[in-house]
Amino acid sequence: MKTRIIIIFLCFALVWCLVLSRALYIQVLPNQKLTHLQEKKYQTRIKLNSQRGSFLDKDRREIAMSQISYSVYADPKLIKSPKATARQLSKHLGVGYETIYMKIKDRNRRFVWLQRFIDEAKLTRIQSSELAGISYVQEWKRIYPFENLYKGIVGIVGQEGNGLEGLELRYDKWISGDNGKVNVKRDARGRPLNIDGMIVTENQMGNDLVMTIDTDLQFYFETQMKETLAKFDGEGAIGIVLDATTSEIRSMVSLESQRRRDYFVKQKAITDVFEPGSTLKPFVMALGLEENLIMPNSKIFCENGKMKVADRWIKESDQHHQFGYLSPSEILAFSSNIGIAKIGFQLGTDRLRDGLIRFGIGQKTQVDFPGESKGVLHETPWNSHLLANISFGQGLSVNALQLTNSFAALVNGGLLNRPLLVKGRRNAETLEYTELERAEPTRVISKKTSDLLKVMLSSVTHEGGTGVNARVPGFLIGGKTGTAQKASLKFRGYEPNAYLSSFIGFIPVHEPKYVIYVMIDTPKKSFYGSQVAAPVFAKVASFLARKDGMVPNVISDKNLVAGFEKNVRPSAKGKKDETSAVAESKILSLRDLLKTPHLHDDIEFIGKGSKVDFMAEEEQVETNTKKVRVYLKSN
């Protein structure tokens, strides 16, 4: 009997030990499976947006920033009367009753967003209603203080806080903080256990990014482009301002007419390509000069306005243009198709194509913006007709930024830079600023060729030139007009009566600070670039001159010298000084100055002002060339 009792006791003791061991295993020792089941039953995991870094313009003004907002969610299982709740929420949130009811009627769901990023006024009304199963979280909302001004550049973010377009997409990892995921706890009946009905998370903030854009210029440029677009009834417009030395993008405007749906969104300056037309002619001229195939005082016969190439005829853009012999500067000033085609023939297909590639034509600029198109530059061999067409800007395609950046290399001394929109980042907490690493520029032409091109391009804006409407009072500027036929997207060839009217130029001539590109897509009331785009350039260039406080340095026709008669300057002792010579002659225009045999040597502008003090000529013994210095003085 006693033995039986002991055995029964031991059995019960063993059972209790097993139960206690199991309880100890469940309650004390960690178990991932049980923890997961617990979290699934008593917690809901919500992803919340972190505070993204801000985008700042070059003057550190915020153009994209994050602001605290509130997002309302529901637990349908806890809602007693979905219809009554939907009616109240519809009034508070300004959302249709059916929309809300469809979200909360399914009681098997435990979490559903009702509305994201509401303001505090709406939140207060919801709190006062004390609706069961309705709660909210605090998160960050992206706002743009300048509204649509930067939409095509900065882009947009999605509701989950990730970049979808523009710089928000390109630099998403840089400006995104650590997106938080919070667990919304519930009691035994499944009701949310929030602190004062609100969840607040503190995550690491993203970096602020400092852009190269000038907000004042962006606003002014866009205003002028809108007015021009409306005035000429165009389908779209593109405008770019680059720092001529660094290729930092100071302004980039991309507009569509009111008839288009993607108004202000698509950045056509980077994503769309087109034929450059006559704005490509300066590049062909530069390559001809660089290869010593032509000289500034060369004369090229332009066939009186009509030239046969293979089985086709090439004509000037205007039937009234029946040019005979023209100098290179006159070819640019009058925008002669035949003259530039003949220079293209001298270069040949290989040298012309290789030269255009060096300028970045047919290549991506590698700008820090998504979706860039590289354009089209066909592989060789080219037939003679295609060679002629490419010489005056047909048969190839570029994007606007690509063309503007390449043009900057023409006039900044011959260096091709990589354009950029973001130049540095700033720690949002410590405000420590770090400049981003930049790519080294590539030399594409010599400084001598670049300096000569600057003077030649300035002749385009003189009386008789196609760019006379681009002139800026008080400043000598240079540039090139373009009136390109618009390629059809539906069939081979060009759209009838559709043109891209453009002007690309720089200010000032002697030391370019800015390169400005203006293009109006398919203007209806006029189509010449000289009439449509050149006046916009003049206004924007004038604005920049005033904003930067540039000193006027215009060289009027009365200040310019056409020929040189070497007069030796006497020394203090009355003897002749053989080391210097002063140029004195009759006063003529800059175009006449370009015709002199001296200007194919080397020209240098010295000083600033509105008048020419004197011009000097020096022999370069080592290179067997001459250097001409133009000394400027103020009034």
Side-chain angles (χ1 to χ4, degrees), residues 571-635:
S571 65
K573 295 181 180 180
K575 296 181 180 181
K576 292 183 179 180
D577 186 352
E578 302 293 340
T579 62
S580 66
V582 181
E584 295 181 356
S585 177
K586 61 179 181 177
I587 299 171
L588 296 174
S589 68
L590 179 58
R591 187 174 296 114
D592 292 326
L593 177 64
L594 291 169
K595 296 176 184 178
T596 67
H598 301 275
L599 293 191
H600 67 272
D601 296 320
D602 193 5
I603 304 173
E604 180 182 2
F605 289 96
I606 299 175
K608 294 182 178 181
S610 60
K611 291 185 177 180
V612 174
D613 188 7
F614 64 91
M615 300 177 69
E617 181 183 311
E618 290 183 5
E619 296 285 346
Q620 304 290 325
V621 179
E622 296 180 357
T623 59
N624 195 28
T625 59
K626 297 176 182 178
K627 187 179 185 70
V628 179
R629 288 191 173 92
V630 180
Y631 291 84
L632 307 178
K633 69 176 183 179
S634 58
N635 292 329

Side-chain angles (χ1 to χ4, degrees), residues 21 251 340 404 437:
S21 298
S251 177
I340 203 69
T404 310
E437 186 177 352

